Amino acid sequence: MDMSGSQKALKVISIIDIVFGVIAIIVSFIAIFMGGAIGIATSEVASAELSAEEMALASGAMSIIGVLGIIMGIVTLVEGILGLRASNDPSKIMPVWILALIGVAGNAVSLIMTLVQGGNIFSAILSLVVSGLMFWVANNIKVQAGK
């Protein structure tokens, strides 16, 4: 059976999603570790520029960001794996469509948080674009499959 253009695009985007998901999970574990390291440093000595309370707040924030990153990384990884499956069998597109919608919403929130915090906007925009493409392609396949 020949694959449609949307199915081919889904396969490529799914591979990208798998890579992004693995990277997000690894980076998030590092963020959690760094949050713990900040917490340990806080217990030993407060920085000359930051109080112990500010260091503890930074530690907690890093841990929360890490946990949220792991959740989004897992969603992205599963989305990519299911996308590969759906690229070969369009009747299995609905889980991909739902996860892509969740990914778009999560990455939109991540972009807003990045803008507010002044972080790496390129990464946040790239993640949102990839999620948006995944949703668009999954929606095209869903319409083609009549679901």
Side-chain angles (χ1 to χ4, degrees), residues 14-142:
S14 295
I15 292 169
I16 292 169
D17 259 2
I18 290 169
V19 171
F20 276 10
V22 170
I23 291 171
I25 292 168
I26 292 169
V27 169
S28 297
F29 273 115
I30 292 170
I32 290 172
F33 172 76
M34 292 305 294
I38 291 171
I40 291 169
T42 301
S43 66
E44 292 181 10
V45 62
S47 169
E49 297 174 8
L50 297 175
S51 69
E53 293 82 18
E54 290 170 327
M55 296 277 283
L57 182 62
S59 172
M62 287 294 286
S63 296
I64 291 170
I65 289 169
V67 170
L68 292 175
I70 289 172
I71 292 168
M72 283 305 298
I74 290 170
V75 167
T76 303
L77 181 63
V78 171
E79 177 185 50
I81 292 168
L82 294 178
L84 280 178
R85 183 182 74 160
S87 69
N88 295 321
D89 184 0
S91 68
K92 298 180 178 181
I93 197 64
M94 280 309 291
V96 178
W97 186 85
I98 292 167
L99 287 174
L101 185 59
I102 292 169
V104 168
N107 284 312
V109 169
S110 176
L111 177 60
I112 292 167
M113 288 174 56
T114 301
L115 288 171
V116 169
Q117 296 173 350
N120 182 2
I121 192 166
F122 175 75
S123 175
I125 290 174
L126 183 62
S127 295
L128 182 59
V129 167
V130 170
S131 289
L133 285 172
M134 177 67 101
F135 178 74
W136 180 60
V137 169
N139 195 55
N140 285 345
I141 293 172
K142 184 173 122 336

